[in-house]
Amino acid sequence: MTFAVRATLSLLLALAPLPVRAQDTDQGDDKTVMVAPDDAEMAAAIAKARSSLDDFLALSDAPPPGTGRFKLKVMVVDGHATEHFWLPFKRTATGFVRILANEPKLVRNVVFGQNIEFSKDDISDWGYTRDGHQVGSFTVCVMFKKMSKEEADYMRTQYGFDC
């Protein structure tokens, strides 16, 4: 199976595997998973996330009780390399911004602690928690299929994934 991780990726990524993070670092278990750029399941997950992004952003503007940890998965391209990062986010006049809290594994045009500005076009997934369960995070559910059963089960039980 292939995994067009964190965005329906351009032809620039044709043969390079992509590193994808299963969780954001503030949860402590940041897992990088390598996935082929033409994975149909991942492309579908990214398309689903992007098609529902506006609804997610509206919800994040006025979070209902019991919800929290709103985050976006952001694609960073550096030449032929692409890496995706989960980030809590802040809106700006032209898009979004947040400090990178991961050490990049593949791209070199961003560094840990750097303020990253990005647009909707850079977003490959979204997620939040509702009553202790993950909502969204469509790409993570696909990544579970790329992990060992033990790793996937751990992530499900520790972080409330229902997939």
Side-chain angles (χ1 to χ4, degrees), residues 2-144:
T2 55
F3 185 82
V5 175
R6 326 226 196 245
T8 307
L9 299 176
S10 71
L11 293 176
L12 290 173
L13 308 173
L15 299 174
L18 304 174
V20 178
R21 299 192 191 283
Q23 270 305 339
D24 50 343
T25 54
D26 61 308
Q27 290 183 346
D29 289 313
D30 190 33
K31 175 73 179 166
T32 300
V33 176
M34 299 299 284
V35 181
D38 60 345
D39 186 291
E41 277 188 282
M42 183 56 69
I46 291 167
K48 184 175 184 177
R50 287 183 170 174
S51 71
S52 55
L53 180 59
D54 289 337
D55 292 335
F56 165 78
L57 292 172
L59 187 73
S60 73
D61 287 340
T67 63
R69 302 184 48 76
F70 289 83
K71 59 190 177 277
L72 295 170
K73 193 179 225 182
V74 178
M75 176 178 65
V76 175
V77 177
D78 182 11
H80 294 290
T82 300
E83 192 165 353
H84 300 258
F85 301 92
W86 281 107
L87 301 170
F89 62 96
K90 183 177 178 182
R91 288 192 195 233
T92 67
T94 59
F96 307 89
V97 66
R98 194 54 183 195
I99 294 173
L100 182 62
N102 298 94
E103 198 64 54
K105 304 275 191 233
L106 187 63
V107 297
R108 298 291 172 235
N109 58 342
V110 296
V111 296
F112 176 85
Q114 177 180 340
N115 218 22
I116 297 179
E117 295 182 20
F118 55 97
S119 71
K120 279 185 171 182
D121 292 340
D122 301 314
I123 296 170
S124 54
D125 203 352
W126 56 261
Y128 67 98
T129 58
R130 180 176 54 220
D131 299 324
H133 293 274
Q134 296 288 328
V135 179
S137 301
F138 306 106
T139 59
V140 175
C141 293
V142 175
M143 287 190 303
F144 284 161

